[in-house]
Amino acid sequence: MPLIQAKNVSLSYPILGIGPVLSKAEGTASSDNPPSASTGALLSNAGTRVKTIDALRDISFELKPGDRLGLLGRNGSGKSTLLRVLAGVYPPTKGEFTTQGRLAPIFNVGLGVRPEATGRRNIILRGLLNGLSTAESKSKVDEIVEFSELGPYIDMPVRTYSSGMAMRLAFATATAFSPEILLLDEWIGAGDEDFQKKAAARMSTLVTKAGITVIASHKRNLIKQVCTLGLWLDGGEMRAFGPIDDVYEQWDEHNRRANAPLIQIRRTQPDPPPQD
Amino acid sequence: MTARVEQNHDAVGRQASLSAALRDIFQAVLRWRLWMAFAIEDLRQTYRRSLLGVLWISFGFAIFVAVKIFIFGTMLDRANDQYYSAYLMIGFYIWFYVSSSITSGTGVFINSEGWIRNDPIELPVFVFQNVVRHAFDLLMTGLVVVIGMVYLGLGASAYTFMVLPALLALLVNALWVNLLLGVLCLRFRDLVHLINAIIRVMFFMTPIFWLPEQLPARAMELLYWNPFAHFIWIFRTPIIDQQFALDSWIYVSVLTIIGWIAAILAYAITRRRLVFWF
């Protein structure tokens, strides 16, 4: 059974090649400079030689089979970093962290593919990566071509694909090798409406097979449609974790308060349309 | 064979773990299908849409060696000297492999960013990928050497079989060099350029086209510390001098052990942080 367990996970990582110049200018966070006042996580270690980012701080949660988690938060709040921790790509600096189950990470178009190779070759590479033999990987090609609707493009180099097509290939491939944990970052929105529906449907079959899905997205519709749980990240810290509607409620409440003065100033203007 | 991924990340983010490093290397060996496929993809990419494809490896080497034999042979007045022709050919054969395997080794991790930042793959996979890809060069240019030796009328002797352990030593050393350079160059990007510069210089300091006998005694002593020379000697001496290159084998053996220890330590210390160094 797939399982994800995070206990007090923190992650700091160095930003190489920046040097000490920036750290003097920005300093560390203080009450005047709370993390949520800007995008991005805390920059720390002012004055030391290597600049580090405290990308995640003290994150604890647990996902059981069938859970579908939506990660929400502003740009740079740590959603993608957390996904990479879940994938086992970023080892956490502190805390304990366990994943069990076959992983399918899709983070960015262009990551984890060979752009010069054809779609077909990339499917086989992904199969090999999942521990299948070449023959077993080849046997998945037809199914993936059908689902992704790439047709003859499957024998073209991936660099010739549009971002939507690359997304179709990546999603179809990742889900074809019966993953138990599906990790999706953001760009799932690159597909057209038809494909998004198809993708959502496939994600729900994954759930009936008792898998775990984690999606980071700014698309409220998509998250509400797919996810049961929500985790709200703010400056690398966990603000809320729970049923998706509750988390969105807290998030809206927070945004209302944060934006209140702004709305007063702009009273002459019509209210902004509700965020969707 | 669908392996279950089980990961347990402990709290010791900065602690070096030797056993974890060795486990990574072992797991990477088991993923041979993957790194073979990656290496084939590298070759396809390099030679795609060319008529001769990978034959260019042999062809390019043959042209290069023929011209060099002509130029240096004429210069040194040894144009019709089979010994010198074979000397040059074998020298370049090993040099091409050693230099290309080192210069490409600086980028084993840098060039695989897209995979390393997306999938939890044991990093030595990319080392095996690069070594196999260049071992293919060694094979394709080796064919030229065999044909060249026949053409020059230089036959095999019992010593010729020493080329097999010599080839093995080349590959075993390429592995640690790639692992060590991969780690160091990912962190310190200046090393990439420094190593390229060193390789260019070493070409002239290695007995590829000149003979050690031409050196003064003092320079000969220095030459003894040149690892590139020894890798050429373990290969060339048995073929053209029909001798067992004992000194060079001792040198290479010691280097192999020290190199592997250094590479494994470097990897063990850095393996959890490498992914942040892109």
Side-chain angles (χ1 to χ4, degrees):
Chain A
M1 287 297 238
L3 177 80
I4 294 179
Q5 251 176 345
K7 227 190 263 171
N8 307 102
V9 166
S10 295
L11 176 68
S12 310
Y13 57 82
I15 301 297
L16 300 179
I18 306 286
V21 187
L22 251 178
S23 48
K24 271 183 197 151
E26 299 193 8
T28 49
S30 63
S31 51
D32 313 328
N33 181 24
S36 54
S38 64
T39 60
L42 268 189
L43 298 167
S44 68
N45 281 19
T48 56
R49 213 172 53 83
V50 176
K51 190 146 191 73
T52 63
I53 287 187
D54 294 333
L56 295 174
R57 269 175 302 157
D58 217 15
I59 309 275
S60 299
F61 66 96
E62 201 181 310
L63 298 177
K64 292 185 202 64
D67 282 346
R68 287 160 291 171
L69 176 70
L71 299 178
L72 22 151
R74 306 178 49 164
N75 296 129
S77 57
K79 301 187 295 296
S80 302
T81 307
L82 182 56
L83 275 175
R84 285 205 163 85
V85 171
L86 298 184
V89 170
Y90 286 173
T93 321
K94 273 190 219 142
E96 260 177 73
F97 171 67
T98 314
T99 8
Q100 273 171 31
R102 216 169 21 256
L103 284 164
I106 320 177
F107 293 147
N108 267 314
V109 191
L111 285 189
V113 289
R114 302 250 345 184
E116 291 296 334
T118 62
R120 190 182 296 275
R121 282 291 299 170
N122 271 294
I123 293 171
I124 291 163
L125 286 177
R126 186 106 325 244
L128 294 174
L129 202 103
N130 277 294
L132 304 184
S133 70
T134 316
E136 285 170 314
S137 309
K138 275 182 183 157
S139 70
K140 296 280 183 187
V141 171
D142 290 339
E143 182 198 329
I144 292 166
V145 175
E146 201 203 317
F147 186 82
S148 62
E149 299 164 37
L150 282 169
Y153 276 92
I154 202 68
D155 289 311
M156 304 266 281
V158 170
R159 72 185 153 81
T160 64
Y161 290 14
S162 71
S163 58
M165 288 162 74
M167 198 278 295
R168 281 167 175 257
L169 177 70
F171 183 85
T173 309
T175 50
F177 296 106
S178 44
E180 292 163 303
I181 300 175
L182 185 62
L183 306 169
L184 295 169
D185 196 358
E186 207 63 83
W187 58 280
I188 183 74
D192 52 36
E193 223 169 275
D194 273 355
F195 191 74
Q196 285 198 25
K197 274 187 201 146
K198 228 171 152 177
R202 182 167 263 205
M203 281 191 263
S204 33
T205 62
L206 195 72
V207 176
T208 55
K209 288 184 201 160
I212 294 176
T213 306
V214 183
I215 304 177
S217 177
H218 295 291
K219 295 208 158 122
R220 189 180 292 223
N221 271 346
L222 178 80
I223 294 232
K224 282 205 163 182
Q225 189 188 340
V226 176
C227 299
T228 52
L229 293 169
L231 195 160
W232 167 22
L233 282 170
D234 186 9
E237 283 178 76
M238 197 168 89
R239 281 287 184 103
F241 173 67
I244 186 69
D245 291 328
D246 294 0
V247 173
Y248 263 121
E249 219 166 274
Q250 290 183 54
W251 154 275
D252 287 339
E253 178 59 30
H254 171 84
N255 284 346
R256 247 195 308 281
R257 253 184 286 151
N259 291 333
L262 262 175
I263 291 167
Q264 276 182 345
I265 292 162
R266 292 185 186 154
R267 194 171 289 163
T268 49
Q269 289 173 2
D271 280 344
Q275 251 191 346
D276 209 347
Chain B
M1 194 196 99
T2 47
R4 236 180 127 76
V5 183
E6 291 219 11
Q7 295 166 331
N8 236 310
H9 301 275
D10 45 20
V12 280
R14 303 234 149 182
Q15 203 175 77
S17 170
L18 196 61
S19 63
L22 293 171
R23 198 182 53 226
D24 273 7
I25 294 171
F26 180 69
Q27 291 290 333
V29 174
L30 296 183
R31 282 180 177 273
W32 61 272
R33 283 194 186 96
L34 182 63
W35 44 259
M36 286 297 280
F38 276 147
I40 290 169
E41 227 35 76
D42 282 344
L43 286 166
R44 284 190 183 185
Q45 196 169 323
T46 310
Y47 297 101
R48 89 193 152 94
R49 287 174 46 211
S50 71
L51 199 62
L52 295 181
V54 291
L55 284 178
W56 270 115
I57 303 170
S58 308
F59 199 51
F61 179 70
I63 295 171
F64 182 87
V65 165
V67 171
K68 286 287 152 138
I69 288 175
F70 176 73
I71 293 174
F72 285 117
T74 313
M75 251 163 48
L76 303 171
D77 205 18
R78 302 183 75 156
N80 296 315
D81 185 334
Q82 288 143 328
Y83 178 87
Y84 183 69
S85 301
Y87 183 93
L88 259 184
M89 180 168 65
I90 296 170
F92 277 118
Y93 172 58
I94 301 299
W95 175 256
F96 270 13
Y97 176 73
V98 169
S99 63
S100 71
S101 132
I102 289 177
T103 47
S104 67
T106 60
V108 275
F109 297 141
I110 296 172
N111 298 333
S112 301
E113 175 176 0
W115 296 92
I116 295 172
R117 281 164 48 84
N118 193 70
D119 295 279
I121 313 176
E122 297 81 10
L123 294 174
V125 161
F126 303 103
V127 170
F128 288 112
Q129 169 192 352
N130 195 47
V131 170
V132 167
R133 186 249 171 277
H134 285 91
F136 187 74
D137 281 6
L138 198 59
L139 176 74
M140 296 300 281
T141 50
L143 294 175
V144 176
V145 174
V146 172
I147 294 168
M149 292 301 284
V150 172
Y151 174 78
L152 292 169
L154 295 166
S157 72
Y159 287 103
T160 312
F161 291 102
M162 281 312 290
V163 303
L164 295 177
L167 287 175
L168 188 68
L170 271 182
L171 296 178
V172 168
N173 279 279
L175 285 171
W176 75 254
V177 169
N178 274 240
L179 182 59
L180 184 65
L181 288 184
V183 168
L184 294 178
C185 294
L186 183 62
R187 179 65 183 78
F188 305 106
R189 299 298 170 100
D190 291 278
L191 272 182
V192 178
H193 309 288
L194 178 67
I195 283 162
N196 278 309
I198 291 174
I199 290 289
R200 280 195 291 271
V201 174
M202 289 312 287
F203 171 72
F204 294 100
M205 294 169 70
T206 304
I208 301 162
F209 58 92
W210 48 264
L211 298 145
E213 293 90 279
Q214 299 165 320
L215 288 182
R218 176 82 192 113
M220 190 64 200
E221 269 170 46
L222 279 176
L223 180 60
Y224 232 71
W225 293 101
N226 178 352
F228 301 96
H230 290 287
F231 280 101
I232 289 176
W233 284 332
I234 58 169
F235 201 89
R236 192 163 57 187
T237 310
I239 299 180
I240 61 174
D241 294 326
Q242 276 95 43
Q243 277 169 20
F244 180 70
L246 180 64
D247 290 358
S248 293
W249 270 108
I250 293 171
Y251 185 101
V252 165
S253 308
V254 172
L255 184 69
T256 308
I257 293 165
I258 295 174
W260 264 106
I261 291 172
I264 289 173
L265 284 181
Y267 178 64
I269 292 166
T270 57
R271 58 185 283 279
R272 288 173 66 93
R273 275 173 284 168
L274 285 177
V275 69
F276 302 117
W277 289 349
F278 285 101

